[in-house]
Amino acid sequence: MHCSDLNYHFYLSYAHCSRSCIFFSLYISAPVVVTMPRKKRIDHPGRGEGPDSQETEGGHGRVQHPPRQHPQQQGGVRGWGQQRGGYGGHGGRGGRVFPQQYYGGHPEYQQGRGGRQYQRGAPPQCRGGIGGGHGAPAGGLFGPPAPELHQATQVPYQAGVTTHPLPYQRPAQTHAEARSSSQPHEATSSQVTQQIQQQVIQLEASPRDSMQPASSKSMGFPLRPSKGSYGTKCVVKANHLFAELPDKDFHHYDVSINPEISDRDVNRAVIQQLVKLYRESHLGQRLPAYDGRKSLYTAGPLPFVSKEFKIILIDEEDGPASARRQREFKVVIKFAARADLHHLGMFLQGRLADAPQEALQVLDIVLRELPTTRFCSASRSFYSPHLGRKEPLGEGLESWCGFYQSIRPTQMGLSLNIDISSTAFIEPLPVIDFVTQLLNRDVSARPLSDADRVKIKKALRGVKVDVTHRGNMRRKYRISGLTSQATRELIFPVDERGTMKSVVEHFRETYEYVIQYTQLPCLQVGNPRRPNYLPMEVCKIVVGQRYSKRLNEKQITALLRVTCQRPSDRERDILQIVHHNAYSEDPYAKEFGIKISQKLAQVEARILPAPWLKYHDSSRDRDCLPQVGQWNMMNRRMINGGTVNSWICINFARNVQDNMAQSFCHDLAQMCITSGMAFNPEPILPVFSGRPDQVDRVLKARFRDVMAKLQHHGKELDLLIVILPDNNGPLYGDLKRICETYLGIVSQCCLQKNVYKANKQQYLANVALKINVKVGGRNTVLVDALTRRIPLVSDRPTIIFGADVTHPQPGEDSSPSIAAVVASQDYPEITKYAGLVCAQAHRQELIQDLFKTWQDPVRGSVTGGMIKELLISFHKATGQKPQQIIFYRDGVSEGQFYQVLLYELDAIRKACASLEPNYQPPVTFVVVQKRHHTRLFASNHNDRHAVDKSGNVLPGTVVDSKICHPTEFDFYLCSHAGVKGTSRPSHYHVLWDENKFTADALQSLTNNLCYTYARCTRSVSVVPPAYYAHLAAFRARFYMEPHMSDRGSMTSGVAGGRGEGGGARSAKAAAANAAVKPLPQLRENVKRVMFYC
């Protein structure tokens, strides 16, 4: 389900979940903030004219790929471990023959993968196996790892070896004949010997330690190989407005304001006053744009190099004119550099490799200048109670509508990205009324509990209030805390002799004000070290304060109701914002020569077809072609049904009787059997009812009971079914932590409301899908995977990784961040993913445990980490070593691209080299972004053939032109059907590509993988490995001790909230440097399956 975005951009992933019918995965994010490097103060007009040389073709579309081998011919891994069992039913009746699912790519890929043949005895250059001495020559079959990261080239064919691809034809292979890693071909010893003899290459050895990450200066992201051509062409609209590059000479000036103020609003007021007073006389009539901190920009030079000004600000809200405070500031404006737009023009034309960030930032600041004076700004968004309807969210909050805008370099030139945004603001209420709403009770009825005080303190910390007891003098304060004592008990010294006076007396004598709510605590305002005490009843919340803390479920639901718009309504509102902003009349845009189009960009797009899916041969409909991004399990059985011989049920829902729970479990077991699983219809022990507050004792006691019965037969418990109350608080998280890290069992939770649901067949079918993958089964597989027709991926054993980092909510200053990595464990099917998780430093985005070394007292230096463990796991599961790696990385903002790539690609290479010297499979590193503001709209909302039921563009819509990066390899893909609101396409940006994907090949692979998501019969909006990594990271937050987290998380790249004060900032700094307590280890049997589903 994809609803329109908030400034907390709510990404709703639609999938059925055991906890409720629909599972919401919440992302809370802030837009990217690019840190601009400060230029040298000496102008170099000719500097940087020539772009760094880059490989513009790089073999894209022309590189030869090694012929496909049988599993045991690849890398000399014959005899390594056990091979897996085959697919059920593959020896049955012949399957339907399919036309090839086209992926794009090299010419031979267009001639049919199923019948492709190569000359026998001429195997390709191959990469060595994991671990030396297993069928590979000593030293491995790879070139030495390079001292710096670079785009590696494919190993060339041996001279004289030719390949003969067959002309395009329908594949003669039926599904029953299609080979997989489950049914490997047997390779003779003579074939292996011949292969090795033909592959002997003299290579230099390079120690692993020499692989140091290069600087960003020595590497560039891959250039776009070409634009994709596969799919049905169409035209869509995007919420991007063409912006004409101005022909002006921009100048950058440093600004220093003394005394220094951290509040941007005050800084802006100072500069506004300076411009008002001195624009004509001292600024050469220039109208400057100011960023609120240290930088000021002008369209042309000012008539000085450095100048000092004195500015006096009068506090207009501080009472009568005679009593208003006056503050004097010294402002120094000093020339820093010229912002050269010539380089920006070269970059947009593809003649310069790196985007001139300063020029882009200047344009962004100019276009933000006027909205900043009109609206409440929050990062790159602007809000106003007048831009849309306000709606109460509960507990003293309300929603404000607004818009996001950002200038971006694209293929069509400069583009202004405009989107609708909404977020929560604190209602401008008297504090007493706010507290009444927050606690949902009359605060005068009874004293506050400790829990009430904590809740009030969390909600009000950092909030600005003004006082109402001083007549016209409305002084503003920021709340820093809450007193531990009631107002009537508070006293303070009034003179140097230590004379004490109560707060109640002080207000009565000084202001003639009688405090009514003496039983309530006072607000502490100002400096936390020397606080002032203000009774709640004399304070009113200042209007326009964004609420940056976590919302509860009711508030989220209320906010989504406001913001969930059909695409046609969203497009209309965006155009209204554009008209309202009137960029053609913006004095700052005029001053700097920026012209903005009033129309949304028309963009060429393509609709990629859905892939064929394979179900069990015993199914009535064993082959499935999804329609508009969805299908169902009617007349279909899972391609590999898992086995559940022993299971039990524990009921924690008091309103569910044992007989009702027993009936529900029976229905669920029957659905699993119908869907293709081998499921024992009877539990090992009867249904047991337990108290939610005794979950630890109940689980461990019941586990002991069932194991006592099973151990006599040498069996294990396969599954635990749990019925939970609808509102279960920490129960779900505690249960998962105990089961997965202590007991070593997989569990399936079901909510009480679903037990009583009248028609629950669809719900049970979705739960059966989840159970199957948790016990090691597969639900469905891509037909093209079985018939080896996926370009590059089908050529050689491929492992696909997904990685994500989730961070604590704003306000959680001590909780660690959680990193998760999943990796495919089957080939060629690529549907099973094992997952690993780890805790790392607070808000650390780089995944620290991808590769690690440590000293063991016995073994000496030991290597390990997530990548190494998952590579070994892949080899154990498939009997093959990965010969290429595809790494989908979620949650990385544009400003972190280089940093993440340098660190994590280096970790991947070190992990590979630790398995075998010179083992370096080629890597493709792709960042997946959901927290962006690009939206796609149908050209004609009334054309039923161009939209789905929700009015969104059709699933499979891909865009790689016009609104994409001028030169780099990126694309937008809307792989899912919308359910509600406006769909958000995922943005895929390739940061590294040693596998030389074509645009069609990578786009089709990514789209087709989105149909293999295990938890529902729908295509999903994010490629499944990245989606699974997010689920695993979210799950791991439950593993932490309760004091380490309040069980909330948000995805990476999010800025913290404002107004937390110095204490909060120091707490964050301390958390970042504090030692991180490791998570409890997952049990080995849990690691092997998709426990996070």
Side-chain angles (χ1 to χ4, degrees):
M1 180 179 292
H2 292 273
C3 296
S4 60
D5 313 322
L6 327 174
N7 186 53
Y8 291 147
H9 312 304
F10 290 100
Y11 156 43
L12 300 179
S13 303
Y14 179 89
H16 289 274
C17 175
S18 58
R19 297 178 69 189
S20 61
C21 277
I22 296 177
F23 173 77
F24 289 98
S25 183
L26 176 62
Y27 285 77
I28 304 176
S29 77
V32 176
V33 178
V34 179
T35 303
M36 179 188 67
R38 185 60 52 85
K39 283 195 173 185
K40 291 185 177 180
R41 297 172 185 268
I42 301 175
D43 197 17
H44 297 281
R47 187 175 179 181
E49 293 289 336
D52 296 335
S53 61
Q54 284 208 17
E55 182 184 1
T56 55
E57 295 180 358
H60 292 300
R62 299 202 314 266
V63 67
Q64 287 182 308
H65 289 270
R68 188 170 61 253
Q69 302 176 26
H70 299 312
Q72 287 192 344
Q73 288 177 301
Q74 298 174 356
V77 293
R78 185 180 181 188
W80 285 18
Q82 298 295 321
Q83 300 294 322
R84 299 168 301 151
Y87 289 112
H90 270 233
R93 67 177 192 266
R96 190 185 314 154
V97 178
F98 289 92
Q100 175 185 345
Q101 179 70 35
Y102 175 65
Y103 283 75
H106 307 292
E108 63 264 32
Y109 293 147
Q110 303 172 26
Q111 299 173 6
R113 309 291 292 179
R116 186 175 174 187
Q117 294 181 352
Y118 296 94
Q119 189 173 359
R120 188 178 177 183
Q125 295 296 345
C126 174
R127 299 185 178 245
I130 297 176
H134 295 274
L141 300 176
F142 304 100
E148 286 194 335
L149 304 186
H150 64 281
Q151 295 291 116
T153 56
Q154 295 282 0
V155 181
Y157 280 132
Q158 290 281 353
V161 177
T162 58
T163 62
H164 303 282
L166 293 179
Y168 179 82
Q169 61 182 14
R170 294 170 67 92
Q173 220 176 11
T174 66
H175 292 304
E177 296 166 341
R179 293 282 184 175
S180 74
S181 59
S182 312
Q183 300 164 317
H185 289 281
E186 196 64 40
T188 66
S189 59
S190 62
Q191 286 175 320
V192 175
T193 303
Q194 183 182 24
Q195 174 185 2
I196 293 174
Q197 288 172 346
Q198 291 182 347
Q199 292 176 334
V200 173
I201 304 172
Q202 295 299 323
L203 299 169
E204 293 180 356
S206 174
R208 184 178 67 253
D209 293 341
S210 68
M211 293 189 300
Q212 298 299 324
S215 71
S216 62
K217 301 292 183 183
S218 63
M219 60 185 294
F221 300 142
L223 300 179
R224 189 181 306 280
S226 63
K227 292 180 182 177
S229 60
Y230 179 49
T232 305
K233 293 184 178 179
C234 63
V235 176
V236 297
K237 288 177 284 188
N239 58 336
H240 286 245
L241 310 175
F242 174 70
E244 187 176 326
L245 186 64
D247 185 18
K248 294 272 188 176
D249 192 14
F250 291 0
H251 284 63
H252 173 204
Y253 292 84
D254 278 341
V255 176
S256 65
I257 300 176
N258 286 304
E260 192 169 332
I261 302 292
S262 60
D263 191 332
R264 283 194 180 193
D265 293 336
V266 176
N267 289 339
R268 289 185 184 280
V270 170
I271 297 300
Q272 284 172 6
Q273 182 70 4
L274 186 152
V275 173
K276 181 180 177 181
L277 294 175
Y278 299 110
R279 181 183 178 186
E280 300 292 334
S281 59
H282 292 74
L283 302 183
Q285 298 186 351
R286 303 286 184 197
L287 183 60
Y290 177 52
D291 71 349
R293 293 195 184 276
K294 299 288 187 182
S295 295
L296 182 140
Y297 300 94
T298 59
L302 294 176
F304 55 81
V305 174
S306 178
K307 196 169 187 65
E308 180 178 312
F309 299 87
K310 286 187 178 180
I311 302 297
I312 295 175
L313 282 189
I314 299 175
D315 193 337
E316 296 181 355
E317 298 184 354
D318 211 22
S322 60
R324 292 177 188 171
R325 287 192 308 162
Q326 293 187 357
R327 289 187 284 176
E328 182 177 304
F329 297 91
K330 183 176 75 173
V331 182
V332 177
I333 298 177
K334 187 177 181 181
F335 175 73
R338 292 170 61 187
D340 192 351
L341 295 187
H342 173 66
H343 290 156
L344 178 56
M346 292 178 62
F347 172 73
L348 294 172
Q349 295 167 18
R351 296 165 57 198
L352 196 64
D354 295 322
Q357 291 297 338
E358 181 167 10
L360 290 170
Q361 189 167 359
V362 174
L363 298 173
D364 212 37
I365 290 169
V366 171
L367 292 175
R368 289 171 51 83
E369 190 72 35
L370 188 61
T372 299
T373 63
R374 292 178 174 178
F375 311 116
C376 293
S377 63
S379 190
R380 292 177 183 261
S381 296
F382 302 91
Y383 300 95
S384 169
H386 309 298
L387 284 177
R389 66 184 189 275
K390 289 192 301 182
E391 293 291 340
L393 302 179
E395 297 190 4
L397 303 184
E398 61 185 7
S399 67
W400 283 20
C401 294
F403 65 95
Y404 164 95
Q405 75 171 31
S406 175
I407 199 84
R408 302 189 60 79
T410 63
Q411 292 176 31
M412 67 179 181
L414 284 178
S415 150
L416 186 66
N417 184 201
I418 297 275
D419 193 22
I420 300 300
S421 184
S422 293
T423 193
F425 276 74
I426 303 172
E427 287 192 66
L429 300 169
V431 171
I432 287 289
D433 294 346
F434 176 85
V435 171
T436 299
Q437 286 195 28
L438 182 69
L439 301 180
N440 195 26
R441 69 175 179 85
D442 183 1
V443 293
S444 63
R446 65 176 186 271
L448 298 180
S449 66
D450 290 341
D452 290 338
R453 289 173 179 272
V454 170
K455 189 173 185 179
I456 295 169
K457 184 177 179 179
K458 278 188 174 182
L460 287 177
R461 189 179 68 175
V463 173
K464 285 183 179 179
V465 293
D466 54 23
V467 292
T468 60
H469 65 287
R470 301 181 67 179
N472 292 330
M473 188 170 290
R474 306 300 290 269
R475 187 79 179 273
K476 289 186 176 67
Y477 298 91
R478 190 183 294 276
I479 299 172
S480 59
L482 213 61
T483 62
S484 57
Q485 298 168 290
T487 301
R488 60 174 169 247
E489 299 170 2
L490 282 173
I491 58 174
F492 63 95
V494 294
D495 56 32
E496 296 178 356
R497 294 173 296 176
T499 306
M500 306 301 287
K501 181 183 285 189
S502 72
V503 170
V504 174
E505 281 182 308
H506 175 72
F507 271 78
R508 184 174 63 246
E509 295 174 3
T510 307
Y511 306 113
E512 297 182 355
Y513 184 88
V514 178
I515 299 174
Q516 302 295 317
Y517 296 90
T518 59
Q519 80 282 6
L520 295 179
C522 274
L523 302 176
Q524 291 180 220
V525 299
N527 190 333
R529 296 174 185 172
R530 297 180 58 191
N532 292 323
Y533 301 139
L534 289 176
M536 289 185 183
E537 63 198 76
V538 302
C539 296
K540 184 175 185 293
I541 295 172
V542 174
V543 69
Q545 296 183 80
R546 188 167 64 96
Y547 186 76
S548 59
K549 302 178 181 69
R550 186 176 52 177
L551 302 176
N552 61 38
E553 290 186 11
K554 289 183 178 179
Q555 290 168 334
I556 292 170
T557 302
L559 192 52
L560 292 177
R561 275 199 301 266
V562 175
T563 58
C564 217
Q565 294 176 291
R566 286 184 66 85
S568 56
D569 296 334
R570 192 184 192 96
E571 181 185 343
R572 180 200 64 218
D573 287 353
I574 289 172
L575 291 173
Q576 286 179 354
I577 289 290
V578 172
H579 177 74
H580 181 271
N581 287 350
Y583 294 104
S584 59
E585 304 301 322
D586 184 335
Y588 296 94
K590 282 184 176 181
E591 172 81 10
F592 285 80
I594 302 174
K595 297 178 182 178
I596 306 293
S597 170
Q598 301 295 300
K599 295 181 180 179
L600 300 187
Q602 298 273 342
V603 183
E604 294 178 356
R606 291 168 288 115
I607 302 172
L608 303 178
W612 282 93
L613 302 176
K614 178 73 172 71
Y615 283 92
H616 197 278
D617 283 338
S618 65
S619 307
R620 188 183 305 175
D621 295 328
R622 59 188 175 185
D623 308 311
C624 171
L625 182 63
Q627 301 297 316
V628 197
Q630 53 188 315
W631 65 101
N632 59 50
M633 289 288 291
M634 291 288 290
N635 302 319
R636 298 187 178 101
R637 294 165 62 83
M638 300 156 177
I639 190 166
N640 289 121
T643 300
V644 177
N645 289 319
S646 51
W647 61 276
I648 59 172
C649 174
I650 299 178
N651 173 26
F652 287 104
R654 296 176 182 175
N655 295 331
V656 176
Q657 302 299 319
D658 284 354
N659 60 342
M660 189 67 187
Q662 186 174 350
S663 174
F664 173 80
C665 290
H666 178 267
D667 293 343
L668 180 57
Q670 289 301 316
M671 178 58 72
C672 290
I673 294 169
T674 302
S675 299
M677 293 182 65
F679 203 105
N680 182 355
E682 297 298 326
I684 297 300
L685 297 175
V687 174
F688 180 83
S689 294
R691 289 176 51 179
D693 59 345
Q694 297 179 353
V695 58
D696 186 275
R697 185 182 63 81
V698 169
L699 286 174
K700 292 176 181 177
R702 202 62 177 164
F703 183 73
R704 283 195 301 269
D705 293 343
V706 72
M707 291 310 296
K709 186 171 183 178
L710 290 174
Q711 282 175 347
H712 293 297
H713 307 284
K715 296 180 179 179
E716 297 288 335
L717 182 63
D718 297 320
L719 177 69
L720 169 65
I721 298 174
V722 184
I723 299 175
L724 299 177
D726 294 336
N727 298 314
N728 51 71
L731 176 59
Y732 175 84
D734 290 339
L735 185 144
K736 291 295 184 182
R737 173 177 52 82
I738 296 166
C739 287
E740 291 161 7
T741 67
Y742 184 82
L743 300 178
I745 54 177
V746 291
S747 58
Q748 180 60 53
C749 297
C750 305
L751 290 178
Q752 169 186 311
K753 64 181 180 182
N754 295 317
V755 173
Y756 285 109
K757 186 179 289 187
N759 184 7
K760 51 177 175 277
Q761 291 306 300
Q762 182 62 57
Y763 169 75
L764 293 175
N766 284 323
V767 174
L769 294 177
K770 290 160 61 67
I771 290 175
N772 188 49
V773 296
K774 287 180 180 180
V775 298
R778 289 189 192 87
N779 294 335
T780 187
V781 176
L782 294 171
V783 167
D784 280 358
L786 294 180
T787 54
R788 304 296 184 98
R789 292 186 295 180
I790 304 177
L792 300 182
V793 173
S794 291
D795 286 343
R796 56 176 77 177
T798 302
I799 186 170
I800 300 182
F801 285 89
D804 189 23
V805 179
T806 64
H807 299 298
Q809 284 290 329
E812 283 187 68
D813 300 328
S814 59
S815 299
S817 293
I818 302 293
V821 180
V822 304
S824 57
Q825 299 293 291
D826 51 354
Y827 182 81
E829 304 88 353
I830 315 179
T831 54
K832 289 184 178 181
Y833 291 83
L836 298 173
V837 293
C838 70
Q840 57 188 41
H842 180 76
R843 299 205 165 277
Q844 170 61 259
E845 181 58 41
L846 305 179
I847 302 177
Q848 301 298 294
D849 279 4
L850 290 182
F851 177 77
K852 56 185 179 180
T853 60
W854 67 94
Q855 290 296 320
D856 183 89
V858 177
R859 295 181 292 167
S861 180
V862 182
T863 62
M866 293 171 149
I867 297 294
K868 183 174 182 177
E869 184 171 345
L870 289 169
L871 288 171
I872 293 172
S873 177
F874 178 94
H875 179 260
K876 287 180 179 178
T878 65
Q880 305 175 81
K881 65 161 181 48
Q883 291 191 25
Q884 56 189 3
I885 294 172
I886 302 171
F887 197 93
Y888 286 103
R889 177 64 156 90
D890 195 8
V892 181
S893 63
E894 290 176 9
Q896 298 170 311
F897 278 3
Y898 273 119
Q899 186 183 16
V900 168
L901 176 64
L902 286 168
Y903 185 88
E904 296 183 3
L905 181 58
D906 185 57
I908 293 169
R909 288 186 162 170
K910 287 179 177 177
C912 293
S914 72
L915 291 165
E916 175 185 289
N918 305 313
Y919 171 57
Q920 289 296 311
V923 177
T924 296
F925 195 106
V926 185
V927 165
V928 187
Q929 294 176 306
K930 283 296 289 186
R931 295 173 307 284
H932 61 80
H933 286 270
T934 293
R935 300 292 180 273
L936 303 177
F937 305 103
S939 284
N940 181 2
H941 292 286
N942 297 319
D943 183 356
R944 295 185 178 179
H945 299 291
V947 297
D948 59 21
K949 291 181 181 178
S950 65
N952 283 288
V953 295
L954 293 172
T957 299
V958 63
V959 171
D960 61 1
S961 64
K962 212 163 184 180
I963 61 172
C964 292
H965 193 279
T967 58
E968 292 171 7
F969 190 0
D970 72 325
F971 58 90
Y972 291 94
L973 173 63
C974 191
S975 53
H976 63 295
V979 178
K980 193 175 182 181
T982 303
S983 296
R984 183 191 337 223
S986 289
H987 183 223
Y988 296 88
H989 200 128
V990 181
L991 302 190
W992 199 257
D993 186 24
E994 293 170 336
N995 292 300
K996 303 299 182 186
F997 273 97
T998 64
D1000 281 327
L1002 186 59
Q1003 290 165 10
S1004 294
L1005 170 66
T1006 303
N1007 182 62
N1008 292 353
L1009 286 176
C1010 291
Y1011 286 79
T1012 65
Y1013 185 65
R1015 306 205 311 176
C1016 57
T1017 53
R1018 299 178 63 93
S1019 60
V1020 290
S1021 62
V1022 178
V1023 69
Y1027 203 152
Y1028 293 146
H1030 172 74
L1031 294 178
F1034 193 83
R1035 170 66 60 80
R1037 198 159 288 280
F1038 293 128
Y1039 300 162
M1040 295 190 296
E1041 297 298 327
H1043 71 273
M1044 294 174 64
S1045 172
D1046 65 0
R1047 305 300 174 93
S1049 80
M1050 69 179 188
T1051 199
S1052 49
V1054 184
R1058 296 173 57 191
E1060 295 187 341
R1065 284 191 292 271
S1066 61
K1068 285 183 178 179
N1073 297 323
V1076 177
K1077 183 178 180 180
L1079 297 174
Q1081 288 291 313
L1082 288 167
R1083 301 302 291 265
E1084 286 299 323
N1085 60 321
V1086 174
K1087 283 183 189 178
R1088 292 194 298 267
V1089 297
M1090 298 169 70
F1091 65 93
Y1092 43 80
C1093 280

